[in-house]
Amino acid sequence: MPTFESRVATLEAIQAQINERLNSIDNRLNGIENRQDNRFNSMDNRLTGIETRINSNFKWIMGLLITVLLANIGTAITIVLTLAKP
């Protein structure tokens, strides 16, 4: 039967091996977390760029619609004034 000291030494070796494995798993999880953070930051930047372009395009479309509306109103007023003359 093994001695008490040899049993404790075996348990300490097992504990050291478990600690190494846990540290390895922790390092891999940290690497995965860092990659996910990078991907989320990249996606956030891309979505911000898309949002900026959409806002810019919306402003252009609204400007063009207002311009066309004013041109139509001007044309309608001119037609009404021309038809109202005796």
Side-chain angles (χ1 to χ4, degrees), residues 10-71:
T10 303
L11 290 175
E12 287 175 347
I14 291 171
Q15 180 189 9
Q17 193 175 40
I18 289 172
N19 284 338
E20 287 178 21
R21 289 180 183 178
L22 287 175
N23 286 336
S24 172
I25 290 170
D26 189 45
N27 290 337
R28 285 190 289 175
L29 289 175
N30 285 337
I32 290 171
E33 184 178 345
N34 289 338
R35 285 193 303 264
Q36 284 180 338
D37 286 344
N38 290 338
R39 288 181 182 167
F40 285 139
N41 288 336
S42 173
M43 183 169 289
D44 189 42
N45 291 337
R46 290 173 62 193
L47 289 174
T48 302
I50 290 171
E51 183 180 357
T52 302
R53 284 193 309 242
I54 288 173
N55 288 338
S56 175
N57 288 341
F58 179 76
K59 289 175 187 175
W60 275 100
I61 289 173
M62 292 307 295
L64 288 172
L65 285 174
I66 290 171
T67 303
V68 169
L69 178 65
L70 291 175

Side-chain angles (χ1 to χ4, degrees), residues 1-11:
M1 182 150 121
T3 65
F4 179 74
E5 288 82 14
S6 66
R7 286 181 169 180
V8 170
T10 303
L11 290 175

